[in-house]
């Protein structure tokens, strides 16, 4: 009897320790992100609905089951960076759960459609999670930049999204080949699959994605692409 009680006590103590460590880890990330958002003159929310992102047609968000994202930060623009939002988002695929930090920017372009870019295919369509808008199709390989051959490039409509893959956008993608990129109806999303960005990295990441934002705008508004949506 004493042995059973001792074993039960040890088990309860161990479970309590795991819970405490889990709460400590979450609290530490929450505090660090909240402090960073404040330092960048932004705001922080522990949870935030994802409805707006779903309505934009972002594939990663649509395939996720979560209706709320955790650690939502909104950062205003400064001299180097565009205004942005960060959040932690977990989704399930056939290979298991994937947790990553999403970087989201408003990026209105004279186009209508959706584009998804990654070095390798890692998102699978889920018939239980319908997406917004028409399905994305593989961009014709023969029309894609030679340097992006073998990449997972999908869009809707494909011929229109090809116009975004300019030389300077391709340069950026090759320099950030570990990232998953989406553009959907004026919203730009970037993340590194299975990676949660540390608070100390946010400023650097924000500058990098702002550079892509700038290049996409230059591509669309440069001479010869003013009527890209015709």
């Amino acid at each position: 009897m004493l042995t059973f009680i001792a074993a039960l006590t040890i088990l309860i103590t161990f479970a309590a320790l795991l819970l405490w460590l889990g709460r400590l880890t979450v609290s530490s990330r929450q505090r660090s992100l909240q402090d960073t958002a404040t330092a960048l003159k932004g705001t922080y929310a522990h949870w935030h609905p994802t409805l707006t992102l779903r309505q934009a047609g972002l594939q990663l968000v649509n395939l996720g089951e979560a209706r709320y994202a955790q650690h939502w930060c909104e950062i205003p623009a400064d001299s180097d960076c565009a205004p942005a939002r960060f959040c932690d988002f977990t989704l399930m695929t056939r290979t298991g759960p994937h947790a990553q930090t999403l970087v989201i920017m408003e990026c209105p372009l004279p186009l209508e459609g959706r584009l998804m870019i990654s070095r390798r295919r890692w998102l699978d369509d889920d018939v239980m999670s319908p997406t917004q808008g028409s399905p994305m199709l593989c961009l014709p390989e023969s029309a894609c930049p030679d340097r992006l051959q073998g990449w997972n490039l999908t869009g809707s409509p494909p011929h229109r999204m090809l116009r975004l893959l300019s030389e300077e956008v391709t340069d950026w993608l090759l320099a950030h080949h570990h990232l998953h990129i989406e553009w959907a109806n004026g919203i730009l999303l970037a993340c590194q699959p299975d990676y949660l960005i540390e608070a100390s990295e946010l400023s650097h990441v924000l500058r990098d994605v702002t550079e892509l934002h700038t290049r996409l705008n230059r591509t669309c508004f440069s001479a010869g692409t003013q009527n890209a949506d015709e």
Side-chain angles (χ1 to χ4, degrees):
M1 184 65 178
L2 290 177
T3 302
F4 173 77
I5 294 175
L8 184 61
T9 301
I10 293 173
L11 183 60
I12 293 173
T13 302
F14 182 69
L17 180 61
L18 288 178
L19 287 173
W20 178 79
L21 288 173
R23 290 178 180 176
L24 182 63
T25 301
V26 171
S27 297
S28 176
R29 181 164 179 76
Q30 180 177 344
R31 283 196 301 271
S32 61
L33 289 173
Q34 190 169 10
D35 290 346
T36 299
T38 300
L40 295 173
K41 299 180 180 180
T43 59
Y44 171 89
H46 191 49
W47 294 98
H48 192 278
T50 59
L51 179 61
T52 301
L53 301 182
R54 291 176 184 281
Q55 291 174 336
L58 294 166
Q59 186 82 343
L60 189 157
V61 180
N62 281 331
L63 292 179
E65 293 298 328
R67 293 299 185 264
Y68 285 81
Q70 193 174 17
H71 304 307
W72 182 276
C73 302
E74 298 198 18
I75 310 298
D78 63 18
S79 58
D80 298 318
C81 304
R85 290 162 281 173
F86 296 91
C87 66
D88 289 352
F89 188 81
T90 302
L91 73 156
M92 290 294 298
T93 72
R94 294 171 186 170
T95 60
H98 297 269
Q100 47 275 311
T101 302
L102 309 184
V103 183
I104 304 145
M105 289 183 177
E106 300 286 339
C107 185
L109 300 174
L111 289 169
E112 290 184 5
R114 300 158 61 216
L115 176 67
M116 184 169 66
I117 302 171
S118 57
R119 184 71 179 271
R120 59 180 177 84
R121 183 181 178 88
W122 70 288
L123 289 181
D124 295 310
D125 290 341
D126 181 354
V127 295
M128 300 300 292
S129 301
T131 58
Q132 299 286 336
S134 57
M136 287 191 284
L137 304 173
C138 291
L139 304 189
E141 191 171 355
S142 59
C144 293
D146 291 339
R147 293 185 294 162
L148 296 180
Q149 294 298 316
W151 282 51
N152 181 46
L153 307 171
T154 59
S156 173
H159 70 279
R160 190 179 296 165
M161 293 300 100
L162 278 169
R163 299 182 176 123
L164 294 178
L165 301 180
S166 65
E167 184 174 352
E168 65 171 339
V169 170
T170 298
D171 287 341
W172 189 96
L173 292 172
L174 291 170
H176 302 82
H177 56 83
H178 55 292
L179 299 182
H180 170 90
I181 304 296
E182 292 190 45
W183 180 85
N185 300 311
I187 303 293
L188 176 64
L189 178 149
C191 72
Q192 181 174 342
D194 298 310
Y195 184 74
L196 297 176
I197 299 172
E198 296 295 333
S200 59
E201 301 174 302
L202 287 182
S203 294
H204 176 73
V205 171
L206 184 56
R207 284 193 295 271
D208 279 351
V209 181
T210 295
E211 179 59 27
L212 174 60
H213 181 286
T214 300
R215 294 186 185 204
L216 287 171
N217 273 277
R218 268 202 303 260
T219 294
C220 279
F221 290 101
S222 61
T225 57
Q226 294 288 347
N227 299 318
D229 201 27
E230 293 183 356

